[in-house]
Amino acid sequence: MEYCPYCNSDKGIEFRYLSDYRDECYSSNLTDPNIYEHNGRMFVSECMSCGRLMLSDDFGGQLESHLFDKAEMIYPSLLASNFSIPHEIRITYESSKRIQQLNSEAFVMSIRKCIEITCKLHGIEKGNLDKKLKQLCLELDIPELLSSVAHNIRLMGNQAAHDLEEINPVNVQKIDEFFKVLMHYIYILPSRLKWFEHVNNMDKGKDAHPITRDGRWVFQKGRYRGWKP
């Protein structure tokens, strides 16, 4: 993590505390009735700018304190770290979070861009964003309430681009929350459902990695995303 998820500062995040724990885990092969035990390690780190704390989890319990930033951050939760969401959207969203506290108009327009990218990734490129969104909602069978969320993001983006008045920070926060809900519906929930169906359709006796009680993989021997021997 190169910047604070709270204040977006890049002054640095430092390790403060670690705690080892033990928990139950299960095989993702549902024909295996055994309950296993895994060692985990929690890290607490602090932003050097705003002083807020972050909590990360190493499910394998092997990472040393200087590698605390390689563990999965579980608080605050980060949309940009969810790999169910396409890379193009994650990168754009992560960039927008860097400026949320500095330039609310630019942040909202960047979130609007994420919506446009979503449409493009679904093969919808013709017409203005209003027409694209209507087609996207129709093709994905998005409920009316969530459709309204997407259109409100579009309207707020238009306001940020054309109006002279600054966007209220309360509205900026709500746009961020609405966008997260939309991404959960379009990408995260389908990914979780696909994983659920995969696990329930696995061949009997097939080797499978252990998973934690909340369905996360247990990484072992200090390995993390991007790890190299």
Side-chain angles (χ1 to χ4, degrees):
M1 176 60 64
E2 298 179 355
Y3 66 95
C4 173
Y6 296 104
C7 69
N8 305 311
S9 170
D10 58 0
K11 289 185 177 180
I13 297 173
E14 292 191 2
F15 165 78
R16 285 291 175 260
Y17 178 77
L18 73 80
S19 178
D20 292 323
Y21 68 88
R22 291 183 180 179
D23 196 8
E24 294 178 343
C25 64
Y26 313 88
S27 170
S28 56
N29 180 359
L30 301 187
T31 62
D32 181 358
N34 297 309
I35 297 176
Y36 304 94
E37 187 179 77
H38 80 94
N39 296 319
R41 178 169 288 176
M42 306 290 288
F43 297 98
V44 175
S45 54
E46 178 186 359
C47 172
M48 293 294 93
S49 179
C50 69
R52 291 186 178 94
L53 300 179
M54 287 144 272
L55 183 65
S56 303
D57 193 353
D58 166 30
F59 312 127
Q62 299 293 322
L63 293 179
E64 300 297 331
S65 59
H66 68 281
L67 294 173
F68 73 92
D69 60 325
K70 303 301 182 182
E72 180 177 330
M73 185 175 292
I74 58 176
Y75 186 84
S77 60
L78 299 177
L79 190 68
S81 64
N82 193 304
F83 286 82
S84 301
I85 300 172
H87 175 77
E88 298 89 338
I89 298 174
R90 286 189 286 108
I91 292 300
T92 305
Y93 177 75
E94 185 175 10
S95 298
S96 72
K97 291 295 290 183
R98 297 293 305 273
I99 59 174
Q100 182 174 353
Q101 306 298 328
L102 302 174
N103 190 325
S104 58
E105 287 77 18
F107 170 76
V108 173
M109 284 190 288
S110 187
I111 295 297
R112 185 183 187 277
K113 182 179 179 180
C114 288
I115 300 294
E116 293 214 42
I117 294 173
T118 303
C119 292
K120 184 175 182 179
L121 291 177
H122 284 84
I124 304 171
E125 301 186 49
K126 295 183 179 180
N128 56 33
L129 185 55
D130 183 32
K131 292 181 179 179
K132 291 177 184 177
L133 270 177
K134 289 178 180 177
Q135 186 176 346
L136 180 71
C137 293
L138 182 64
E139 291 187 5
L140 300 183
D141 197 22
I142 295 178
E144 184 177 350
L145 186 60
L146 281 178
S147 176
S148 297
V149 165
H151 282 284
N152 274 298
I153 294 175
R154 176 185 65 83
L155 292 174
M156 194 66 69
N158 290 344
Q159 178 186 337
H162 302 295
D163 289 357
L164 296 178
E165 293 185 12
E166 293 185 2
I167 296 178
N168 190 288
V170 173
N171 283 336
V172 172
Q173 181 63 35
K174 290 304 174 185
I175 287 298
D176 190 26
E177 293 176 4
F178 289 161
F179 178 71
K180 290 177 182 178
V181 170
L182 192 64
M183 291 297 101
H184 269 80
Y185 183 85
I186 295 176
Y187 293 111
I188 298 176
L189 286 178
S191 175
R192 290 178 178 175
L193 178 59
K194 184 177 180 180
W195 180 89
F196 175 79
E197 292 174 342
H198 166 73
V199 169
N200 279 275
N201 289 310
M202 288 183 65
D203 296 332
K204 292 183 179 181
K206 187 175 182 180
D207 293 335
H209 293 289
I211 56 175
T212 60
R213 284 194 255 186
D214 58 0
R216 294 180 291 183
W217 300 106
V218 178
F219 296 104
Q220 298 291 345
K221 298 181 180 178
R223 299 187 181 187
Y224 50 86
R225 202 178 295 277
W227 178 89
K228 295 181 179 180

